[in-house]
Amino acid sequence: MRILYGSYDIPIKAKDKENLWESEEVYKFIICTFCPLLGDYEAGTPECGFLFPAFIDRSTDIHGIMVYQADERHPHEELVREILFH
């Protein structure tokens, strides 16, 4: 499992979609990925993970979470259960 914290300075966009180089909001988030180990310390390709809070319509959504599943046909349902119900 890897947990990362990050922030993204969301630039203001003009009506013509031109970047104004000013900050509209700072989006602060955590990303958690679950990866198999390739040896003692090296993480493999993520199998599932989540992003919190969600990033919707160029803004922070503290009521949402985005879940990643590498194999949608065989999802890690326990991840969603543990995140949402504990």
Side-chain angles (χ1 to χ4, degrees):
M1 177 172 70
R2 293 180 128 181
I3 298 177
L4 305 166
Y5 170 80
S7 63
Y8 171 59
D9 203 7
I10 306 168
I12 295 174
K13 298 274 184 164
K15 290 182 181 180
D16 63 357
K17 306 289 185 197
E18 184 69 28
N19 190 343
L20 298 178
W21 299 106
E22 295 177 27
S23 177
E24 183 174 14
E25 172 186 350
V26 176
Y27 170 59
K28 296 178 182 179
F29 57 90
I30 60 169
I31 295 176
C32 179
T33 61
F34 296 88
C35 311
L37 286 177
L38 305 175
D40 291 335
Y41 300 103
E42 186 180 348
T45 303
E47 292 181 1
C48 58
F50 67 89
L51 170 72
F52 177 80
F55 187 70
I56 307 292
D57 295 328
R58 297 179 43 76
S59 187
T60 302
D61 178 3
I62 63 167
H63 302 290
I65 186 168
M66 301 180 93
V67 175
Y68 167 76
Q69 300 283 352
D71 186 352
E72 292 181 13
R73 286 178 269 157
H74 301 96
H76 289 272
E77 294 174 357
E78 70 279 5
L79 170 69
V80 176
R81 255 193 321 275
E82 292 295 319
I83 292 171
L84 298 178
F85 301 112
H86 284 263

